[in-house]
Amino acid sequence: MNPLPRTIEWVGDLPGHVRLIDQTLLPTSLEYRDCHTVEQVWEAIKLLRVRGAPAIGVAAAMGVVVGVQRHTGAGTFAHRLHEVADYLRTSRPTAVNLFWAIDRVLRRIESRLHNSPPEILARLLLEEALTIETEDRAMCLAIGLAGASLIGEGQGVLTHCNAGGLATAAYGTAIAVMYAAAEQGKRFSVYADETRPLLQGARLTTWELMQADIDVTLICDNMAAQVMREGRVQLVIVGADRIAANGDTANKIGTYGVAVLAKAHGIPFYVAAPSSTFDLSIRDGSAIPIEQRDPREITHAFGKATAPDGVRVYNPAFDVTPAELIAGIITEKGVIAPVNERLIRERLSFVSEPRTK
Ligand code: MRU
């Protein structure tokens, strides 16, 4: 698979910094943003300069390193570490990868926190953050291979939001499946929902697929039903931000509606996600925190007023698709189908760990 330019990377040694593609500028401009402070990493996550659950996880892990790497004085390193971790946890609430990645880097130094010098601790944190990034690439490749056979020759595949290389360390999840199928020589066409209000589908998914020479057609979100009725779509694949133990899946707002439409038209609806997106500490989707975002994303998206001043706005960034609407979850460990708690636990061999948030 041909990866895009690096979504996110660590630059230099220690001290170093985070470099990420500023996804708010795509598709008109491909620019990198360097984050030298934890505040800059927090802002990049909050404003969706870096976005997509796995990419947010990598950014948060590297953000921890940025936040502590210049800290000297062994006594207060632990205090600073927890301050930085707690701060990064406030950037976005829904994608569990963020909390998973922060917990993971903290665990790496837990036993040495009070008896090792700061330079050693910072190096171990960086090692762990880089491992998360490397593992994410490998998981996305495996997801692509696990799901490729689901795409049949000549089919139409609909996706929502962007679950591509930009949303992960590389390749993506839902889009990794498309990359893998294309690499196997299959011909198929993709319908990309534009994904209101921030247009991740229009700005990012089409951009990625066009670079990979995969046939893609952009549609407005409210066209999906008509496109399905016309028989243009035989499969839906989307990504995920958090999957509860029973398989209920939070993903970009609008995903639930697509799942309902797919059900009504007899079209299989698949979720593609790495094991880092599962949150087995919660039983079902009702416990998934849904991010509420700035009303101006709806009333003034991309700088132009599209609604009267002062109008009341509701802007949840995610919704939850119930497990019963999901035909299968494509993971790096294979496809989980049917979707239920027993099979999820069995396939992932997860020991449920309590999350910090
Ligand atoms: O608000 P965003 O752009 O971060 O939302 C992203 C999504 O909903 C993706 O579908 C999800 O994170 C999966 S990315 C592999």
Side-chain angles (χ1 to χ4, degrees):
M1 270 185 240
N2 209 357
L4 294 162
R6 294 284 285 267
T7 309
I8 180 164
E9 63 184 316
W10 182 264
V11 179
D13 188 36
L14 276 174
H17 64 273
V18 180
R19 176 168 294 160
L20 46 89
I21 294 178
D22 185 346
Q23 298 187 35
T24 62
L25 304 177
L26 285 170
T28 42
S29 167
L30 175 60
E31 284 179 34
Y32 292 87
R33 195 171 182 93
D34 287 337
C35 302
H36 295 270
T37 67
V38 66
E39 288 78 12
Q40 288 169 341
V41 176
W42 187 95
E43 188 251 23
I45 296 172
K46 179 77 183 172
L47 298 187
L48 275 57
R49 298 188 196 286
V50 60
R51 39 124 331 257
I56 291 174
V58 175
M62 291 181 178
V64 170
V65 185
V66 165
V68 300
Q69 64 183 350
R70 289 194 169 80
H71 197 83
T72 48
T76 56
F77 188 91
H79 177 77
R80 174 68 184 158
L81 180 68
H82 289 291
E83 187 177 69
V84 163
D86 288 347
Y87 172 59
L88 285 166
R89 283 187 183 106
T90 65
S91 55
R92 292 192 77 189
T94 304
V96 75
N97 303 62
L98 182 135
F99 306 98
W100 169 86
I102 292 172
D103 288 349
R104 184 167 155 177
V105 292
L106 295 193
R107 263 201 312 278
R108 174 71 188 270
I109 59 167
E110 209 169 30
S111 62
R112 313 180 62 158
L113 189 52
H114 298 286
N115 50 29
S116 298
E119 315 80 67
I120 300 286
L121 296 172
R123 181 148 307 280
L124 292 172
L125 288 169
L126 176 59
E127 263 177 39
E128 195 66 20
L130 296 178
T131 305
I132 289 173
E133 201 246 345
T134 310
E135 285 180 7
D136 190 59
R137 290 167 172 271
M139 288 194 290
C140 289
L141 264 181
I143 287 170
L145 293 173
S149 64
L150 294 169
I151 300 182
E153 179 65 24
Q155 284 192 338
V157 186
L158 185 138
T159 192
H160 189 75
C161 194
N162 171 263
L166 289 165
T168 60
Y171 315 116
T173 58
I175 293 193
V177 175
M178 300 172 195
Y179 289 147
E183 230 161 60
Q184 291 171 3
K186 280 186 194 157
R187 280 161 306 151
F188 56 94
S189 45
V190 179
Y191 286 86
D193 281 351
E194 68 173 351
T195 317
R196 280 276 289 153
L198 295 181
L199 306 186
Q200 289 92 332
R203 295 187 301 106
L204 310 176
T205 297
T206 58
W207 184 77
E208 278 197 32
L209 291 173
M210 287 170 80
Q211 293 197 49
D213 271 332
I214 292 178
D215 181 80
V216 59
T217 303
L218 174 64
I219 58 170
C220 299
D221 299 337
N222 52 5
M223 296 170 187
Q226 180 64 14
V227 165
M228 288 181 185
R229 173 174 277 173
E230 289 174 4
R232 294 171 185 268
V233 167
Q234 285 71 43
L235 179 68
V236 175
I237 315 178
V238 298
D241 284 84
R242 193 186 292 229
I243 303 174
N246 73 340
D248 288 355
T249 295
N251 191 49
K252 177 53 55 194
I253 190 74
T255 303
Y256 172 36
V258 172
V260 171
L261 289 177
K263 175 88 176 171
H265 291 86
I267 298 167
F269 176 97
Y270 282 86
V271 167
S275 49
S276 51
T277 300
F278 286 75
D279 182 355
L280 299 193
S281 73
I282 55 174
R283 293 192 53 191
D284 62 48
S286 63
I288 299 178
I290 300 293
E291 178 181 16
Q292 303 293 326
R293 292 191 61 89
D294 188 342
R296 287 181 67 85
E297 290 179 352
I298 293 181
T299 58
H300 291 73
F302 308 101
K304 182 167 166 44
T306 53
D309 269 353
V311 67
R312 188 181 308 119
V313 168
Y314 179 50
N315 186 17
F318 298 94
D319 58 26
V320 175
T321 300
E324 59 265 27
L325 295 179
I326 303 170
I329 304 178
I330 309 160
T331 75
E332 79 276 14
K333 300 182 181 203
V335 180
I336 302 172
V339 178
N340 60 51
E341 179 159 358
R342 188 184 59 76
L343 272 187
I344 288 174
R345 288 191 187 274
E346 204 175 280
R347 185 56 70 100
L348 299 183
S349 323
F350 252 164
V351 184
S352 183
E353 283 168 16
R355 302 240 169 245
T356 48
K357 285 267 156 52

